[in-house]
Amino acid sequence: MEQLATDSFVTFSNIEESSPSYHRQYDFFIDKFSQMCHANPQAAYGEDFRLARCAGLRGLRGVVWKSVTDDLHPNIWEQQHMDKIVPSILFNLQEPDDNGGFSSSHIPKFDNNFTDSTQSHRGDDEATPKVLSDRCLRELMGKASFGSLRAVIEPVLKHMDLHKRWSPPPSFAIHVFRAIIYSIQSQNSYFVIQELINHLDSMCSADASTRIGIATVLSSIVSIAGTSIGPLLLSIFNSLLKHLRTSVDFERSGKCSDQPAEKMYQEALINAMGDFANALPDYQKVEMMMFTVGNIPNLDERKSKQGEEFLQHVLVKTLLKVATKYRTAYLATVFTDSFLDTLLRLALVRDPQVRLATQQIFHTLLDRHDNAANLVHLGYELDVADVQLTVEKCSRADQMFMRKHIGDITYMLWRAAAAADETDLSTHADAILCTMSLLCIEVGFEESLVELFRLSMALQQLALDIKQNFSDAKRNSIHNIVAKYMNLSAQLIANPSLCQQVQHVVGCRAQRGIPGLNLLLSVKESPMNDDPLSSTAVNGTIPEGTPRTITEGDHALLFNIEDVAESLKASGKDASRLFVPFNMSLNGRDGNGDSWQREDGQNFDSTDGRESPDGYKTVGIDDVSVDMSVDWTPPISRKQSRRNTIFSIVNPPIPELNASTVDDLKAYANASFDPIEEDRKEKELTGSILSEIRNTDFEERVNTNESLNERGDLSKSIARLLVRNGETTKVRDIGRPTKPKNVFEIELPSFAY
């Protein structure tokens, strides 16, 4: 009888009335149909309880349709009605059927056309309550306006709490919220995200499993919401970061009884933020990375609390997750001065995991051709073509960026190698080598390549330094970094002489049999594997007296900087920068923003974070100044300031070459670069210019310069020639009749007007 009555009501709900009804109420039908949705075998329905549930769901569909089409009955969206309709639908949706479980496959978007004929009623009777309730839920959400969304979402959240549907894996909650997101209008999707975050705020003291479930649901639906979450971008991301910080503080407070579950909750939040970033355009991903960096604590202090170090670790993992969703176009777009400075500091913190994650962030942001997967565990390759790398020409914008920041980046890599964790040497060494290789591939123009070769020589010297308290394994690991990078870069720039040097050094190391330095063991085609001198390393037996690492006396096992410079010069590169010392104090920069102090007298100013290599005579627009202030004192640093740049563009006097033969000229050309002598000459030149400015009258200097430069001044020469030509014309025209005036200067008689 109830099913027949339900069919009659559904038929009535599809009738469009021409005149409104002022007295009709549906409260009784809502109560009755909700009761039928909760039918069970123990009640009067017996085995037909499923048919009763289907009838109740169809009745609720009819009530919703009849109410939303009648302007006089907007009270269907009141909280008292939604508290009955929504739980009734969800109760049947969570009921397991014969197939079991919930499918996470793509749910089709809601079709707004509501058709319910007698034939469809029969189909509904044959369907399960679960299928029908899913259809009812999507139709209900599709008909809800923006103002009535909260009235529908709140009963859903309450049902999940009461029935503990947030417990991992929250497949039912994911199914429900995906259906909701697909059913409502796309521009309203951000409201559902915001309601879930607000609910997470209210559940901050709940069990970790509940919070894990909510975070997992967030992670699964933010990608569906797409760009509609733009209006609340920073608000939503800030809320997720706040929950992450709260979870970290709670875990470190000692009050947490289930730390593994709390870590799972943090991972779920990090995944949610990563999926959240994936749904945004690139410029907003950059904003999110900047926002995350701004929340990393205590980078400006030498000593930080243990809890803050752990928060650093968690936030760097979050930053890495967001960075993996970003595709770099130009380096200057993502590596702003503040962002790059923070990454460089993070790469040198005490926590080795943070340092490793920071290197991975560099890999993600530098890699634009998907080469990182082939470089993350790079070995010694006889032919780099087998690695299948994609190499393209460096853009002009990236060249300008690297000219400013290559010094900071190479110094970071040098210190990162010195601070590599001895308990996980291979991982840290591979990360540093991968960063160097990506720099060589992505920004491989002349100046950056020379700086990377200079870094390689500095790393080799670092491994040889007996003052450093390094183990033999760490020294050998640094030597291997240098050898692998030299092999890769030499083949990429197609320098045959440099390739021969690398092969010679690697072969000598394999013959010596020092453990950990035979890179040819992994190369099957190498003839060195059949050499009896290297059999000890292959068999793993080390005779007594065999050295454990390379010393400065082993010249055949080391890369000679003179030979490397000659190879680079032969290929047309300016290798003078290689001879500038790279030795720096390992405690060069503290956390308070002071400048790096190198032993070669060069400073890295941390306020702008860059240094122009002295070996490259490049003058940019910002490098030229016209400040002629006499009240000026030369800076202590050799780095040129904007106030004394005017003196740097004056052509220096050419030194006298006492070279009578070609051999003398070659000796002068191959002389080593002496920074101290160059510094002295620069100071003498500056002093002479200042002395002339202070002791000579200004008008006298002006006249002197004009007399010297008059013949070289093109404008004055042209003016002098024009004057001379004019005088010649006047002399030639003496005695000739006057030329007629210009037509515009002829005065017509008055009658012509």
Side-chain angles (χ1 to χ4, degrees):
M1 186 64 69
E2 290 179 347
Q3 296 181 28
L4 293 176
T6 302
D7 292 342
S8 299
F9 180 81
V10 171
T11 303
F12 164 74
S13 65
N14 283 276
I15 299 176
E16 296 184 2
E17 301 183 30
S18 57
S19 59
S21 174
Y22 296 96
H23 60 280
R24 188 178 300 146
Q25 297 292 332
Y26 299 103
D27 296 357
F28 168 77
F29 293 100
I30 294 175
D31 294 340
K32 183 60 179 178
F33 291 141
S34 299
Q35 180 183 358
M36 294 172 62
C37 289
H38 290 81
N40 55 71
Q42 288 75 24
Y45 300 100
E47 297 296 332
D48 296 333
F49 73 96
R50 294 185 183 275
L51 296 177
R53 290 185 181 183
C54 290
L57 291 171
R58 287 191 288 106
L60 290 178
R61 289 175 66 190
V63 170
V64 172
W65 171 250
K66 195 64 176 177
S67 299
V68 297
T69 56
D70 193 343
D71 295 336
L72 298 178
H73 295 282
N75 58 353
I76 187 65
W77 303 109
E78 292 181 358
Q79 197 68 43
Q80 57 179 347
H81 298 313
M82 288 294 107
D83 287 342
K84 298 175 183 177
I85 295 175
V86 174
S88 300
I89 295 175
L90 296 180
F91 177 78
N92 287 275
L93 185 58
Q94 73 185 14
E95 186 72 17
D97 53 12
D98 296 337
N99 297 329
F102 293 94
S103 175
S104 59
S105 60
H106 180 71
I107 301 176
K109 290 186 178 180
F110 171 69
D111 186 4
N112 289 323
N113 297 326
F114 181 85
T115 57
D116 200 343
S117 61
T118 306
Q119 184 177 0
S120 64
H121 296 166
R122 296 191 186 99
D124 291 341
D125 291 338
E126 297 174 358
T128 63
K130 178 179 177 180
V131 175
L132 186 56
S133 60
D134 179 75
R135 189 183 310 167
C136 292
L137 176 65
R138 283 182 277 147
E139 289 183 0
L140 178 65
M141 298 307 303
K143 297 181 184 300
S145 62
F146 178 79
S148 57
L149 278 178
R150 178 171 281 107
V152 184
I153 297 297
E154 287 184 356
V156 174
L157 297 174
K158 188 183 299 183
H159 180 87
M160 300 296 174
D161 295 338
L162 295 176
H163 292 261
K164 298 181 179 180
R165 289 295 177 175
W166 300 116
S167 300
S171 55
F172 174 73
I174 292 175
H175 179 88
V176 170
F177 279 95
R178 284 174 63 92
I180 292 174
I181 288 290
Y182 276 119
S183 301
I184 63 177
Q185 297 179 358
S186 58
Q187 65 267 23
N188 297 333
S189 300
Y190 75 92
F191 180 80
V192 180
I193 305 293
Q194 189 63 51
E195 285 296 308
L196 270 174
I197 292 179
N198 294 338
H199 189 65
L200 186 60
D201 293 339
S202 63
M203 302 292 289
C204 60
S205 59
D207 294 337
S209 59
T210 301
R211 290 179 279 125
I212 291 173
I214 300 176
T216 305
V217 173
L218 274 172
S219 177
S220 64
I221 65 174
V222 289
S223 59
I224 305 174
T227 57
S228 67
I229 49 184
L232 297 175
L233 170 67
L234 292 180
S235 175
I236 293 175
F237 196 72
N238 187 33
S239 298
L240 294 175
L241 279 178
K242 183 184 69 175
H243 285 290
L244 189 59
R245 294 176 67 102
T246 303
S247 175
V248 171
D249 294 339
F250 176 63
E251 181 184 356
R252 309 299 296 183
S253 64
K255 300 179 181 179
C256 179
S257 59
D258 192 357
Q259 290 190 358
E262 201 67 29
K263 289 184 181 294
M264 290 179 59
Y265 172 58
Q266 296 166 10
E267 291 291 337
L269 286 175
I270 293 174
N271 292 333
M273 284 185 277
D275 293 332
F276 177 64
N278 195 32
L280 299 175
D282 284 345
Y283 72 93
Q284 289 185 331
K285 294 176 184 176
V286 174
E287 291 180 3
M288 290 179 60
M289 287 190 284
M290 306 300 176
F291 192 77
T292 305
V293 163
N295 284 271
I296 298 177
N298 284 340
L299 285 177
D300 295 333
E301 297 181 9
R302 289 192 178 187
K303 296 182 179 180
S304 59
K305 300 178 182 178
Q306 186 177 5
E308 292 173 344
E309 287 186 355
F310 184 74
L311 183 59
Q312 283 182 3
H313 175 66
V314 174
L315 290 179
V316 169
K317 288 178 62 178
T318 305
L319 182 60
L320 176 60
K321 188 72 175 181
V322 176
T324 56
K325 309 297 181 180
Y326 179 75
R327 187 74 173 182
T328 304
Y330 294 100
L331 298 181
T333 304
V334 59
F335 288 112
T336 60
D337 288 346
S338 59
F339 183 63
L340 179 61
D341 182 68
T342 303
L343 287 182
L344 295 176
R345 291 173 182 269
L346 283 172
L348 302 175
V349 297
R350 292 185 296 180
D351 189 351
Q353 295 301 321
V354 174
R355 297 200 302 267
L356 183 60
T358 306
Q359 293 292 339
Q360 294 172 353
I361 293 173
F362 275 109
H363 301 167
T364 301
L365 297 179
L366 288 174
D367 183 26
R368 290 173 289 190
H369 301 93
D370 299 327
N371 292 322
N374 299 323
L375 297 173
V376 67
H377 297 297
L378 181 66
Y380 179 76
E381 300 291 339
L382 293 178
D383 188 1
V384 175
D386 297 336
V387 186
Q388 298 180 354
L389 300 175
T390 303
V391 183
E392 293 183 1
K393 184 178 179 180
C394 180
S395 65
R396 178 67 177 170
D398 288 342
Q399 291 183 22
M400 296 174 62
F401 172 82
M402 292 306 296
R403 285 193 181 101
K404 296 179 181 179
H405 299 289
I406 186 62
D408 284 342
I409 296 175
T410 53
Y411 179 64
M412 177 273 294
L413 293 171
W414 185 82
R415 289 198 68 195
D421 188 16
E422 303 246 1
T423 59
D424 195 7
L425 271 177
S426 61
T427 304
H428 286 264
D430 287 345
I432 295 172
L433 176 61
C434 183
T435 305
M436 295 174 62
S437 303
L438 286 172
L439 288 172
C440 176
I441 294 172
E442 297 292 341
V443 287
F445 67 106
E446 178 179 342
E447 298 173 21
S448 64
L449 287 174
V450 173
E451 283 296 310
L452 289 170
F453 280 119
R454 181 166 168 260
L455 170 64
S456 301
M457 296 295 100
L459 289 175
Q460 178 176 266
Q461 191 61 34
L462 176 66
L464 295 173
D465 190 359
I466 59 175
K467 297 179 181 179
Q468 306 299 334
N469 189 21
F470 296 161
S471 65
D472 293 337
K474 184 171 182 177
R475 296 180 189 274
N476 294 341
S477 179
I478 297 176
H479 282 301
N480 287 338
I481 292 176
V482 176
K484 292 176 182 178
Y485 173 76
M486 295 286 286
N487 175 63
L488 174 70
S489 58
Q491 295 189 48
L492 287 179
I493 64 176
N495 193 319
S497 61
L498 189 57
C499 291
Q500 290 179 1
Q501 294 179 39
V502 174
Q503 293 173 5
H504 173 72
V505 171
V506 172
C508 291
R509 291 180 181 181
Q511 290 182 0
R512 182 64 62 90
I514 299 177
L517 285 177
N518 189 356
L519 297 177
L520 299 179
L521 289 177
S522 59
V523 183
K524 297 180 180 179
E525 297 82 1
S526 175
M528 286 295 177
N529 289 332
D530 300 329
D531 196 299
L533 295 178
S534 61
S535 60
T536 56
V538 176
N539 298 331
T541 58
I542 305 173
E544 295 182 2
T546 302
R548 299 286 180 173
T549 186
I550 302 175
T551 60
E552 292 187 1
D554 299 326
H555 299 292
L557 308 183
L558 298 173
F559 293 99
N560 191 335
I561 189 172
E562 298 285 348
D563 296 339
V564 174
E566 287 295 332
S567 299
L568 294 178
K569 288 179 181 178
S571 62
K573 293 180 173 57
D574 182 10
S576 60
R577 182 70 179 163
L578 281 178
F579 299 98
V580 178
F582 203 95
N583 299 324
M584 289 178 281
S585 175
L586 287 181
N587 56 359
R589 177 188 284 187
D590 54 20
N592 56 11
D594 293 338
S595 62
W596 304 106
Q597 179 64 42
R598 295 186 178 183
E599 294 179 5
D600 59 3
Q602 300 179 19
N603 283 342
F604 278 92
D605 190 357
S606 63
T607 57
D608 63 352
R610 52 184 177 266
E611 178 228 9
S612 297
D614 296 337
Y616 305 122
K617 299 177 178 58
T618 58
V619 179
I621 295 177
D622 292 337
D623 295 326
V624 180
S625 173
V626 292
D627 189 355
M628 294 295 294
S629 174
V630 177
D631 185 13
W632 171 83
T633 302
I636 298 176
S637 172
R638 292 183 68 246
K639 180 181 177 181
Q640 297 173 352
S641 67
R642 290 182 59 86
R643 302 192 64 185
N644 70 341
T645 313
I646 184 65
F647 307 117
S648 67
I649 62 176
V650 178
N651 294 329
I654 301 176
E656 296 183 1
L657 300 180
N658 298 323
S660 58
T661 63
V662 177
D663 294 335
D664 294 339
L665 186 60
K666 288 183 178 180
Y668 177 81
N670 296 328
S672 61
F673 180 80
D674 189 357
I676 299 177
E677 180 66 19
E678 293 296 326
D679 193 10
R680 185 187 62 79
K681 292 180 181 179
E682 183 179 353
K683 289 181 179 179
E684 289 180 358
L685 177 62
T686 304
S688 63
I689 295 174
L690 286 176
S691 177
E692 181 183 355
I693 292 175
R694 291 170 177 169
N695 301 328
T696 308
D697 185 66
F698 178 75
E699 295 294 338
E700 181 181 352
R701 285 188 285 108
V702 171
N703 295 332
T704 303
N705 289 332
E706 286 183 352
S707 62
L708 292 175
N709 299 327
E710 184 176 1
R711 293 187 178 276
D713 192 340
L714 180 61
S715 61
K716 291 185 178 181
S717 299
I718 293 175
R720 188 170 60 252
L721 292 173
L722 289 175
V723 171
R724 186 174 62 184
N725 185 44
E727 294 175 353
T728 304
T729 303
K730 289 180 180 179
V731 172
R732 186 184 60 191
D733 293 341
I734 293 176
R736 294 184 180 182
T738 306
K739 293 181 179 181
K741 294 183 178 181
N742 191 319
V743 67
F744 297 104
E745 298 178 359
I746 298 177
E747 296 182 359
L748 299 177
S750 59
F751 65 83
Y753 295 97

